[in-house]
Amino acid sequence: MDIFSGDKKVGASILSGPENRFKDWAVPRLPRWLETYHLTLLTILWSAVNVLLGYAAKHSLHWLWLVSAMIILQYVTDLFDGEVGRQRNTGLIKWGFYMDHFLDFIFLCSLVFVGYKISPPELVDWYFGLLVIVAAFMVNSFLSFAATNKFEIYHAGLGPTEMRVGFILINAFISIRGTRDFHLLLPLAVVICLVALVLYTWTIQKKLWGHDMAVKNR
């Protein structure tokens, strides 16, 4: 019988080393009453605040600095939730896998919502396309995991942490320059993400095809 390995991520990203050292230092210092499920569920709060900030940012782009603060808070709670469970042996492995990644998607949707609220109305279709592509990346990861029991979320040295850094840099850029470049940058971002999705899908299906053919030819 296969053992569930959703709590063990395959691979590493550029920032994995500093990240792991940060976890090893910080988690033992967290209060004992703060449990893994508390940290997981805090993503609901960060997402709700983002939705409110989306409405506020429509009137002043300076609110995007607080959106970046929500990204940092969500990063910290997401980074610590599984590690708290592992170090204290109090983790809820399957519940944590399900809720953690479902709420990650909710948080991503809240970020797309902020972008939608501050963008010119004629760019709405591009935001819908961006949300579809983001969802497709997550679906790809979970389908690959279902087929291989290996949970891969790092690609070419990039993972969720690097993506969060990207969002923070984008927020800073928009806060300083405004939205006048959106008509060029948003379609470009969608096209780049679409190309990355196609390459990612091709890599996964090629790997699974090779596995199936090897089994078939035994």
Side-chain angles (χ1 to χ4, degrees), residues 1-10 93-94 97 141-152 207-208 211:
M1 181 178 178
D2 290 336
I3 298 173
F4 179 77
S5 60
D7 59 325
K8 301 176 183 66
K9 299 178 178 67
V10 177
I93 294 175
K94 292 188 177 181
F97 176 85
S141 291
F142 296 130
L143 288 176
S144 175
F145 171 60
T148 65
N149 202 30
K150 294 179 180 178
F151 193 42
E152 299 183 60
K207 184 187 300 183
L208 294 176
H211 177 270

Side-chain angles (χ1 to χ4, degrees), residues 53 56-57 59-67 171 174-176:
L53 291 173
H59 304 289
S60 173
L61 294 176
H62 293 301
W63 288 103
L64 293 179
W65 295 108
L66 275 181
V67 174
N171 283 343
I174 296 170
S175 297
I176 296 168

Side-chain angles (χ1 to χ4, degrees), residues 89-120:
N89 198 29
T90 59
L92 302 168
I93 294 175
K94 292 188 177 181
W95 181 92
F97 176 85
Y98 173 78
M99 287 300 295
D100 186 22
H101 297 293
F102 174 71
L103 292 177
D104 282 347
F105 177 68
I106 296 299
F107 187 76
L108 274 174
C109 289
S110 76
L111 292 177
V112 173
F113 176 80
V114 172
Y116 160 74
K117 293 302 289 184
I118 66 176
S119 293

